[in-house]
Amino acid sequence: PPCVRPSLLSDPQPRLRPRRHPRALTCPVSALQGVVTAAVSLITCLCKKNPDDFKTCISLAVSRLSRIVSSASTDLQDYTYYFVPAPWLSVKLLRLLQCYPPPEDAAVKGRLVECLETVLNKAQEPPKSKKVQHSNAKNAILFETISLIIHYDSEPNLLVRACNQLGQFLQHRETNLRYLALESMCTLASSEFSHEAVKTHIDTVINALKTERDVSVRQRAADLLYAMCDRSNAKQIVSEMLRYLETADYAIREEIVLKVAILAEKYAVDYSWYVDTILNLIRIAGDYVSEEVWYRVLQIVTNRDDVQGYAAKTVFEALQAPACHENMVKVGGYILGEFGNLIAGDPRSRRELLGLRGEGRWSRRPLTPAPHSPPVQFSLLHSKFHLCSVATRALLLSTYIKFINLFPETKATIQGVLRAGSQLRNADVELQQRAVEYLTLSSVASTDVLATVLEEMPPFPERESSILAKLKRKKGPGAGSALDDGRRDPSSNDINGGVEPTPSTVSTPSPSADLLGLRAAPPPAAPQAPSGAGNLLVDVFSDGPAAQPSLGPTAEEAFLSPGPEDISPPIPEADELLNKFVCKNNGVLFENQLLQIGVKSEFRQNLGRMYLFYGNKTSIQFQNFLPTVLAVQTKRVAAQVDGGAQVQQVLNIECLRDFLTPPLLSVRFRYGGAPQSLTLKLPVTVNKFFQPTEMAAQDFFQRWKQLSLPQQEAQKIFKANHPMDAEVTKAKLLGFGSALLDNVDPNPENFVGAGIIQTKALQVGCLLRLEPNAQA
């Protein structure tokens, strides 16, 4: 009865015997539907507390759902709501199934897939009633079905169909449906299988951002653009978001600014575009550009020699605007103080100008002949001085003393400014002290001393961008999974483990690190022996769900910081869990009744960054929580994980040479006083460092024939576990990393791919042919 439910759910140890709970689901189709609906609500809540005790309800729920979905409206007359059979029970059953991963039993899974396909098919049928109640009930089942498809993230066809269905709602006259469609597509955009399908709706989403009357819908449209952004459409999306920012609601401007800054940094191939984007942000919405944003552009400009001259020239031009935001003055003051000589027109480098010899960071030539003289740069900055806050004035005074070092011809003018009574007797102690010290330094110090004291700022140490952390705080608790790149600001740069690296370990990155910001330098090691990698190609085409392993207690000493000698062997399911990620980068790596481990990763050339999400599924805090990845640079996480909470760990990876054995992930913690431990294989396989390569048919077969040595070719004949659907196979091969080449193989049924495995030591070209045999 309903009156029992609150007290039952508040009890941390429910006393009902689990084997009796699902019995209500076995009632006849037409009998006791109300009892079944109430029972499903109860079982759903209990499943969240003790999932393993109620696994038997999965097959019962699928069976019940199948009978409802396949029934006509006349079969359940007493439980049909505006021509929709048992909508409340259908929704509750779909929510119950979201408490578990896909069914392990192939028959049950097949029946469930049929149910989901039936719901999507019915959504395309003409409505049987024009009443709003009919559409509400029908859409409630549809959206819950799509939520289950997204939760499983294992059926490419269903994910693409769900995306197409949601795309139809993007232009629906009902505001609520447009909102829900945008919200669901944000999650679909993070799936490897449906990301491309989501991108096809980019024009509709941009139009929604421009024309929607409801601010909440516009905000969801901005979220979706952020989620669907990748290297192919980054400039278009950033441009549209900047354009929208000029008229955006004040309540969401800061969030839009943060998203634009993150996307510009993440997908910048041309750093001049990144600088232009950030300066445009400051120009359009300077009041909403936080310190994290303009600090970050200064760090990147300081660390990149190739963009410093362009940044100096661009910020100089931006400062000439009649109305200039104070954040622009801060950026301009710093960049001109450090790199103003690059646009000053002096043919000498800074070291030569100071009488110093030798090679160094300053032994370079100006960018342009002579467009912006030092006195003009100083006059432009000083014209903004009286309009700025104390903090900005302090920064400008530091710029002035750097000008004296860079441009001796400005010394008399700047000393006059520092000597003015408004500076030496300023009411603000900070400004007064700077004026006095800088005036004295410029007067008594020799050229060499002045050059030493005022040397250019060294490169900033690469660290995780704090803009992502600010965006996550802005979105509020629980937003991590909603943001495609919702990352926390790291609290430490420590490297866990400190043991002998594997071949996929981290090394000091080359300039190709780009904006990923990966830094570390453990030495390389010899490749380890392969373990369970022989069936990799076969398992790529296996969609079977991973088994749900369980955590077992270990000895007390298991909580010492592990090294290679005390790491336990990987759990039996480790290879199966690893193979799920061969063709995708995001998903759930491990899940049991206590812990869920999610993975999001991105790879570029021989570099990668991975985010591990550790979720406490219980109501009890994890103590001494210690996830360790051997030989990979990681950020430490909190030692305590509250019940229902999630923590994130960032891993920076560089592929030094080809490898077979992935790094090991060891997770140790206490739950209820009992030690828990497990070891998994980190989903880092050599194909993650594939760079797709296009080539013509003639080039492909010519290179194929050249690779004739035994060690240059590997062939495997295997039986596919599932029908070789062309679209699914293409999706998996693209996820594998190679480029799919059309019209290359004489047999159109065959699949041909090409790519280059990028490692620090060498680059290895790879050609691939997959020849399905339908008659086998």
Side-chain angles (χ1 to χ4, degrees), residues 138-422:
K138 189 176 178 180
N139 290 331
I141 297 174
L142 175 62
F143 276 100
E144 209 60 53
T145 298
I146 292 174
S147 295
L148 181 60
I149 293 171
I150 294 172
H151 171 73
Y152 286 165
D153 193 22
S154 60
E155 297 292 333
N157 291 335
L158 290 179
L159 286 163
V160 172
R161 286 193 61 187
C163 179
N164 294 335
Q165 182 62 52
L166 291 172
Q168 296 177 19
F169 287 137
L170 292 180
Q171 295 178 308
H172 200 278
R173 58 186 179 86
E174 280 288 332
T175 304
N176 286 342
L177 285 179
R178 297 197 301 273
Y179 179 94
L180 292 172
L182 290 167
E183 189 175 47
S184 298
M185 289 185 80
C186 282
T187 311
L188 276 174
S190 65
S191 171
E192 296 289 320
F193 301 115
S194 54
H195 181 78
E196 292 298 322
V198 172
K199 284 167 56 179
T200 61
H201 301 284
I202 184 171
D203 293 334
T204 306
V205 179
I206 289 174
N207 185 62
L209 187 68
K210 296 176 179 177
T211 61
E212 279 288 349
R213 295 183 179 181
D214 192 310
V215 61
S216 62
V217 180
R218 292 198 298 274
Q219 188 167 3
R220 293 288 80 79
D223 289 343
L224 180 52
L225 286 175
Y226 177 79
M228 71 167 62
C229 187
D230 60 20
R231 196 166 302 282
S232 66
N233 57 20
K235 289 192 175 182
Q236 179 187 5
I237 288 178
V238 168
S239 174
E240 292 294 343
M241 294 180 82
L242 280 173
R243 191 175 293 113
Y244 169 67
L245 188 58
E246 297 184 13
T247 58
D249 301 82
Y250 294 109
I252 64 173
R253 282 196 177 189
E254 184 178 7
E255 185 179 325
I256 298 292
V257 166
L258 293 174
K259 287 180 175 178
V260 169
I262 291 169
L263 295 178
E265 177 181 348
K266 182 178 180 181
Y267 297 114
V269 177
D270 179 1
Y271 283 92
S272 60
W273 174 72
Y274 171 73
V275 171
D276 289 339
T277 300
I278 300 301
L279 294 185
N280 271 332
L281 273 182
I282 297 174
R283 178 183 60 80
I284 296 170
D287 290 338
Y288 300 90
V289 177
S290 61
E291 289 183 340
E292 289 87 350
V293 175
W294 66 267
Y295 282 177
R296 188 64 177 165
V297 72
L298 296 184
Q299 292 173 9
I300 290 174
V301 170
T302 301
N303 291 3
R304 299 285 307 192
D305 288 350
D306 57 341
V307 79
Q308 289 164 359
Y310 179 83
K313 180 176 182 295
T314 305
V315 79
F316 179 90
E317 294 170 353
L319 287 172
Q320 296 181 29
C324 186
H325 195 274
E326 188 168 338
N327 282 338
M328 187 72 77
V329 178
K330 293 176 182 177
V331 173
Y334 180 94
I335 291 179
L336 292 179
E338 294 294 322
F339 314 114
N341 65 307
L342 296 179
I343 60 171
D346 196 306
R348 295 168 293 170
S349 70
R350 180 176 180 177
R351 283 188 177 273
E352 293 167 346
L353 190 122
L354 297 175
L356 303 177
R357 294 291 182 263
E359 293 298 322
R361 293 191 70 234
W362 285 101
S363 56
R364 56 178 186 256
R365 299 301 180 204
L367 183 72
T368 51
H372 313 299
S373 66
V376 172
Q377 291 186 40
F378 170 74
S379 299
L380 181 61
L381 283 175
H382 195 57
S383 67
K384 316 290 183 184
F385 187 88
H386 66 287
L387 302 172
C388 298
S389 64
V390 170
T392 305
R393 292 184 187 185
L395 185 150
L396 289 178
L397 289 179
S398 298
T399 299
Y400 296 166
I401 188 64
K402 290 216 167 199
F403 270 18
I404 293 178
N405 182 42
L406 276 175
F407 313 118
E409 63 268 31
T410 64
K411 180 176 180 178
T413 304
I414 293 175
Q415 282 183 333
V417 171
L418 296 175
R419 195 177 288 113
S422 58

